[in-house]
Amino acid sequence: MALAVAEELRRMESVISVATPALNIAERLAGVESIEVTVLGGMLRGSSFGTVGPLTTAALLSMRADIAFLSPDRLDERGLVFNSMMDAEVAQTMAARADRVVVIADSSKFASGGMAVLTTWDRVDDLITERISPSMSARIQDCDVRVRVTGVVRPRTPR
């Protein structure tokens, strides 16, 4: 779903700045005249094509954002979960530097597992997903999170 957000940003006519540790997102936004893309430095994780570590965190600490879009590995009743402590640290720093936190996740991410709980639901402002159970939706909304269910599942990756 992160790529779906990138596609929506490409369609916007407003001039925006995007800072991302994700190389696939930066590549998707590169060349769009209305978008200034900053790729955060750091150690590149081959499994996620995202940067992590002290250089990434330092770059984030020098910024502020209107919105942080986060895409965790898992979501459960407690909050956002990552498989990597390093990814969790980057996402936590992004969330702390933003005025609003939006979680984007397809329904396959609603499962237990993972090793690093990033944050509880009370730190999240919005959740965007294509499907969610009524009980999970109620639990999340009890934490004052706006839940938005879209018809988008996953964009096809261009070849």
Side-chain angles (χ1 to χ4, degrees):
M1 288 199 65
L3 288 174
V5 171
E7 289 302 319
E8 288 299 316
L9 293 175
R10 288 174 58 92
R11 288 192 263 286
M12 291 178 56
E13 295 182 14
S14 303
V15 176
I16 62 171
S17 295
V18 173
T20 181
L23 296 185
N24 60 336
I25 301 300
E27 186 270 334
R28 188 65 59 96
L29 298 176
V32 178
E33 285 186 34
S34 61
I35 301 176
E36 179 182 284
V37 179
T38 300
V39 179
L40 302 172
M43 182 179 75
L44 181 63
R45 290 194 64 229
S47 62
S48 65
F49 288 102
T51 58
V52 294
L55 292 175
T56 310
T57 304
L60 287 167
L61 289 172
S62 70
M63 301 176 181
R64 66 158 295 283
D66 294 326
I67 304 171
F69 289 100
L70 304 180
S71 185
D73 294 309
R74 301 265 186 281
L75 299 168
D76 64 22
E77 66 282 346
R78 295 170 295 164
L80 287 63
V81 182
F82 286 83
N83 294 332
S84 160
M85 297 294 281
M86 293 186 295
D87 285 342
E89 179 181 37
V90 169
Q92 190 166 20
T93 306
M94 290 173 78
R97 303 298 296 166
D99 295 333
R100 185 170 154 214
V101 176
V102 177
V103 174
I104 49 174
D106 65 66
S107 57
S108 70
K109 302 223 177 163
F110 291 99
S112 58
M115 68 181 301
V117 174
L118 163 67
T119 190
T120 57
W121 284 111
D122 59 350
R123 178 59 185 97
V124 175
D125 297 294
D126 300 274
L127 167 66
I128 301 171
T129 187
E130 95 289 1
R131 188 175 59 232
I132 186 171
S133 73
S135 61
M136 180 62 88
S137 181
R139 163 71 179 103
I140 294 169
Q141 288 177 8
D142 283 346
C143 297
D144 292 326
V145 176
R146 289 178 294 273
V147 176
R148 180 172 175 215
V149 178
T150 70
V152 175
V153 179
R154 293 182 190 161
R156 281 188 270 158
T157 305
R159 298 179 194 252

